[in-house]
Amino acid sequence: MEVEINMVGVLAAAAASMVVGSLWYSKAVFGKTWMSLTKMDEKKMREGGWMPMFIAVVTSLLTAYVLAHVAYLSYQFFGNSFMNAAMSTAFWLWLGVAATTLVVHGAFEQRSRKLTVLNVGNQLVAFLAMGAAIGWVGL
């Protein structure tokens, strides 16, 4: 079997993830809380330069590609709609990979539970937005 991946869907999903992150961590939503919990300030963020954003774009593209790949396999195996396959795949990948990884890192790095929950919540919304974009664009 050859896996079909719609690159427009991958690009739309990566963009959706970036939009979610931009809104989630904006000062109007959770940005002030995140900055306080991470002891980050405007100056430190500027010192980081463009590299964190570059990494975010590349990893969003990679995550979207993997999500599209696994969604296609789910679609072929279960025979549900492609939207259903994309959304359920997004949820299960979030739960089994993203959420668990963030929780473990948060525990070992002794980060506050509030920060871990904040980041896990962002990942849930981002994964679901990516799944919706992939499912909407379709094969």
Side-chain angles (χ1 to χ4, degrees):
M1 169 177 40
E2 195 162 320
V3 176
E4 295 178 32
I5 296 175
N6 186 330
M7 292 308 292
V8 173
V10 169
L11 292 173
S17 175
M18 297 301 295
V19 168
V20 167
S22 295
L23 293 172
W24 191 271
Y25 293 106
S26 71
K27 288 183 180 179
V29 183
F30 296 115
K32 290 178 184 175
T33 301
W34 176 80
M35 289 178 85
S36 173
L37 292 169
T38 58
K39 298 177 180 29
M40 182 66 67
D41 60 31
E42 302 276 343
K43 183 180 175 197
K44 279 185 184 178
M45 290 184 70
R46 280 191 301 277
E47 288 171 358
W50 56 269
M51 187 57 78
M53 192 56 70
F54 175 76
I55 291 169
V57 169
V58 170
T59 58
S60 291
L61 285 165
L62 181 57
T63 301
Y65 185 87
V66 170
L67 177 54
H69 184 97
V70 180
Y72 180 82
L73 296 175
S74 173
Y75 169 71
Q76 289 296 312
F77 184 80
F78 292 110
N80 295 330
S81 72
F82 191 66
M83 177 61 84
N84 183 286
M87 293 301 291
S88 63
T89 298
F91 174 78
W92 290 112
L93 286 177
W94 165 78
L95 182 63
V97 180
T100 55
T101 300
L102 286 169
V103 168
V104 169
H105 281 272
F108 277 98
E109 294 168 1
Q110 299 179 4
R111 292 183 179 259
S112 73
R113 285 190 185 108
K114 190 172 183 178
L115 179 59
T116 299
V117 168
L118 183 77
N119 290 331
V120 167
N122 169 68
Q123 287 295 289
L124 173 61
V125 176
F127 268 69
L128 293 177
M130 286 190 286
I134 289 166
W136 181 70
V137 170
L139 300 172

